[in-house]
Amino acid sequence: MNTNKDVFLKIVDMHSNANGNLVVFDYEKDLEKVIKRSFLIHCVEKATRGKHAHKKLTQFLVCVSGICNVICDDGFSKKEITLDSPNKVLKVPNQIWAEQHYIVKNTGLLVMCDDIFNEEDYIRDYEDFKD
């Protein structure tokens, strides 16, 4: 079973010049996973999302704009990580309860997953998660 010790923040290279910033994700090198699904969440107002864990799936979170605080909970301890730059990649392994708090308007969060969507993989009730 994973714990908060398995949750980690990785800083990937950001290449900047007068025209902007370029952040590249070499999935197998940087994330050590094959990415099979990704999606983008854009919250126009402050919001809280997530509030679930996965049985098998691992997620990688990148805040592409704004600020997102992520609370990771392994059932024994909680860990809060602030994502505020597109070159910060947060690994949330399976068996970790995660909540995302969108701190400023128009925050965008890119989520990359190592598997396709499967409703059976979700743990949506916190009490079930703790059991």
Side-chain angles (χ1 to χ4, degrees):
M1 178 171 200
N2 285 309
T3 69
N4 274 334
K5 291 179 183 176
D6 300 298
V7 174
F8 70 85
L9 183 67
K10 179 170 184 150
I11 308 297
V12 297
D13 291 336
M14 181 161 43
H15 308 279
S16 302
N17 65 28
N19 294 320
N21 302 314
L22 172 68
V23 178
V24 177
F25 303 107
D26 290 321
Y27 298 126
E28 290 186 57
K29 179 184 137 217
D30 294 329
L31 308 181
E32 299 175 358
K33 293 278 187 178
V34 173
I35 300 303
K36 295 185 178 180
R37 178 175 179 252
S38 60
F39 54 93
L40 183 66
I41 301 164
H42 181 257
C43 289
V44 294
E45 297 293 331
K46 295 179 184 181
T48 299
R49 294 186 53 101
K51 295 186 179 182
H52 64 268
H54 289 277
K55 296 173 187 173
K56 295 181 181 178
L57 181 124
T58 296
Q59 293 184 321
F60 298 90
L61 310 179
V62 178
C63 188
V64 296
S65 63
I67 301 171
C68 186
N69 287 342
V70 182
I71 309 292
C72 294
D73 181 343
D74 62 11
F76 300 100
S77 66
K78 293 184 180 183
K79 183 178 193 177
E80 182 171 350
I81 302 97
T82 299
L83 299 176
D84 56 5
S85 176
N87 69 325
K88 292 181 177 180
V89 182
L90 179 65
K91 178 185 179 183
V92 181
N94 57 33
Q95 302 295 320
I96 299 293
W97 186 267
E99 296 181 11
Q100 299 86 41
H101 299 272
Y102 295 76
I103 303 303
V104 298
K105 290 181 178 182
N106 294 315
T107 293
L109 187 72
L110 173 64
V111 181
M112 299 171 280
C113 308
D114 68 348
D115 206 351
I116 61 173
F117 175 80
N118 178 1
E119 183 60 37
E120 297 292 317
D121 187 59
Y122 282 76
I123 306 169
R124 296 188 184 275
D125 182 270
Y126 187 71
E127 294 305 315
D128 289 345
F129 165 74
K130 290 196 311 186
D131 289 342

